[in-house]
Amino acid sequence: MQGVPLPWVVSAHAVRDVNMHNLRALNTWFGLDQAQDVHDVVGILETTQGVPFFNTVASDRTGNALYADIQATPNITDAHARSCLTETGKLLFDQALPLSNVPPISILDGKRSACDWPDDPDAAAPGLLDPKDQPRLIRTDFAGNANDSPWLANPAQPLTYPRVMGDTSAPRSLRTQELILTAQNRINGTDGLPGKGFTPETMGQLLFADNSRAADLALDSTVTMCRNVAFGLILVDGNLVNVSEACPVLAAWKSHDYTSDSRGSWLFANYWSLLLNGQGVAKLPWRVPFDPKDPVHTPNSLDTGNSAVREAFGRAVLALRKAGVPLDAPLSDVQKVTRGGEQIPVHGSIGQLGVLNVITPGQVDGTQEVVFGSSFVQQVRFTAEGPPQAFSVLAYSQSADPESPHHADQTKLFSAGGWVTGRFTEEQIAASPDLLIKVLD
């Protein structure tokens, strides 16, 4: 429980891992391999409870989309929590001391045997929560998750579940908002792309559009603030930073995207990270606070008159200048990964910016590199007849051997927004232009 001080002086704490004896995951994967539809998937998840800590998203030929968070979960119902949580546990379970990306933490009273995880007759193993009490949603429009709690798998049908599985009626990440808005706009045909609904082409285009929800919410007001700074100067740590050159750079970044050729995006990313300063997005100075009745569109309207906003902006401009990075540098100049001595631009950005394609830069041996983010990306289209149409890309490529031709090939493909065609049948394999057959003696 990183960042949580525990009163060790007056008490002792034991940690129990719900997956310590979980060997059921193999049965889960085997069952999922044989599922015929989303209802089969739910049945397998409930029967095995072998998923250790993952979300499950699936769709089938009949047009059903499934989101499920059915997994190995301790049997801590809300009633059990109320009866058994310690004082520290109450603060962490109810998120009175919220931790970024950390679900409710259960610290139970170990002096009472009644506070152990009770056995449920409908669970797959002792001490597990009844799988039928765990969140799942099947819809014909969409269901999804962006590393948030299950609450808004689809905002038209918010989910309820025991608190141990996550929060509800609480601010969503900007990436969750972006996922929901992207899906809704595509289904409605209001995103500027042809037609309505998803195809492999539109799915790939939207994922690699790298749109930033944070920029949608705050870029215009930030530009206005920049233009209204007196004499273009912001005081940062006793230094006057001239931000006037940053105003036209951000004003020209009308696409709000983190594609490789975007200019102004790197400046905005630095500004946003400094503004967040490790906090959740709801902690920023918004004029319109979070409203659980409108969780997809709130909070909004950044209060750029707040001194923290101006200071973060000034710090971002100063940081880029100290690093020798032009304020209008294209993303491809600063966000790269090295393969075999070659630097390959990588599009996308951090999840806190509300970008679906998460790419996180960092330092490797003192050099700016991409250190985390999208790995295996796949999209699948079911057809009325024949095998599914599948397209994938492995962002970090397939081989760790620098001498292999597959050490960087898919990284370059990912950089260019390309995909590898999945081939299942003998006919599909035979039709591949890259097919190579070797006959062994």
Side-chain angles (χ1 to χ4, degrees):
M1 295 178 293
Q2 184 176 0
V4 182
L6 297 177
W8 292 102
V9 175
V10 296
S11 60
H13 294 78
V15 178
R16 182 177 177 185
D17 184 353
V18 73
N19 284 299
M20 184 168 59
H21 301 297
N22 181 12
L23 300 178
R24 303 177 306 277
L26 293 175
N27 295 330
T28 303
W29 311 144
F30 184 75
L32 292 177
D33 283 345
Q34 301 177 81
Q36 299 295 306
D37 56 31
V38 295
H39 301 285
D40 283 353
V41 171
V42 170
I44 292 157
L45 297 176
E46 288 185 340
T47 301
T48 64
Q49 281 189 270
V51 174
F53 42 75
F54 305 125
N55 296 291
T56 301
V57 180
S59 60
D60 61 27
R61 291 181 184 276
T62 62
N64 288 315
L66 164 71
Y67 167 78
D69 193 17
I70 303 170
Q71 55 176 275
T73 300
N75 188 18
I76 303 174
T77 63
D78 291 353
H80 189 66
R82 285 194 298 272
S83 173
C84 288
L85 287 172
T86 66
E87 292 305 311
T88 303
K90 290 176 183 177
L91 291 173
L92 295 171
F93 194 77
D94 294 331
Q95 300 287 284
L97 295 175
L99 300 173
S100 179
N101 297 319
V102 176
I105 296 173
S106 309
I107 303 178
L108 306 177
D109 185 355
K111 298 188 298 293
R112 293 185 287 150
S113 60
C115 291
D116 199 356
W117 301 344
D119 294 341
D120 190 294
D122 294 323
L128 297 188
L129 182 68
D130 183 349
K132 291 185 171 53
D133 291 337
Q134 299 184 33
R136 82 286 310 277
L137 181 65
I138 297 175
R139 292 184 61 88
T140 57
D141 49 0
F142 76 94
N145 187 272
N147 292 342
D148 227 329
S149 80
W151 179 44
L152 290 189
N154 186 304
Q157 193 174 346
L159 294 172
T160 57
Y161 38 83
R163 174 71 175 170
V164 70
M165 300 208 69
D167 59 9
T168 60
S169 301
R172 299 297 88 184
S173 72
L174 294 186
R175 190 162 174 255
T176 291
Q177 291 187 357
E178 179 67 15
L179 183 149
I180 291 169
L181 292 169
T182 297
Q184 289 176 336
N185 291 338
R186 178 79 299 261
I187 290 169
N188 296 332
T190 56
D191 57 6
L193 296 178
K196 297 181 179 181
F198 287 97
T199 65
E201 292 75 22
T202 56
M203 179 75 78
Q205 283 179 278
L206 290 170
L207 176 61
F208 291 163
D210 298 316
N211 185 71
S212 167
R213 175 67 175 155
D216 290 346
L217 290 171
L219 180 63
D220 289 348
S221 58
T222 298
V223 171
T224 300
M225 173 202 69
C226 181
R227 288 169 171 166
N228 290 333
V229 169
F231 305 108
L233 300 175
I234 295 178
L235 185 64
V236 176
D237 296 334
N239 300 306
L240 283 174
V241 180
N242 191 328
V243 300
S244 57
E245 292 180 0
C247 309
V249 171
L250 289 184
W253 183 45
K254 299 182 183 301
S255 59
H256 300 181
D257 65 56
Y258 279 80
T259 54
S260 292
D261 60 354
S262 61
R263 294 176 181 269
S265 56
W266 187 250
L267 170 60
F268 188 86
N270 280 264
Y271 153 63
W272 196 252
S273 294
L274 289 165
L275 181 59
L276 285 173
N277 194 28
Q279 304 178 100
V281 68
K283 297 294 185 180
L284 297 186
W286 301 101
R287 289 193 171 94
V288 178
F290 170 73
D291 182 353
K293 295 179 181 178
D294 189 14
V296 179
H297 301 97
T298 59
N300 62 57
S301 304
L302 188 66
D303 181 6
T304 53
N306 187 288
S307 60
V309 178
R310 300 165 78 90
E311 183 174 327
F313 190 71
R315 286 185 183 279
V317 172
L318 181 61
L320 264 64
R321 286 189 176 137
K322 284 185 175 181
V325 177
L327 300 183
D328 65 345
L331 190 66
S332 58
D333 280 3
V334 287
Q335 189 164 277
K336 308 173 186 179
V337 65
T338 304
R339 290 287 185 272
E342 179 182 2
Q343 291 190 315
I344 304 170
V346 180
H347 58 93
S349 195
I350 58 175
Q352 292 90 331
L353 279 163
V355 178
L356 294 182
N357 174 34
V358 170
I359 295 294
T360 304
Q363 292 287 319
V364 177
D365 297 329
T367 303
Q368 183 83 14
E369 284 274 322
V370 171
V371 296
F372 178 81
S374 292
S375 52
F376 177 74
V377 187
Q378 183 182 55
Q379 53 172 315
V380 180
R381 181 184 189 181
F382 291 100
T383 57
E385 296 179 358
Q389 299 173 355
F391 306 89
S392 66
V393 63
L394 194 61
Y396 48 77
S397 293
Q398 194 166 6
S399 176
D401 180 4
E403 302 301 320
S404 169
H406 304 299
H407 181 61
D409 55 347
Q410 290 199 48
T411 303
K412 294 178 181 179
L413 189 65
F414 179 85
S415 175
W419 300 85
V420 175
T421 300
R423 300 178 187 276
F424 298 94
T425 67
E426 292 295 331
E427 291 78 12
Q428 288 178 330
I429 295 171
S432 171
D434 298 317
L435 177 65
L436 176 63
I437 300 175
K438 288 186 178 181
V439 180
L440 303 179
D441 295 333

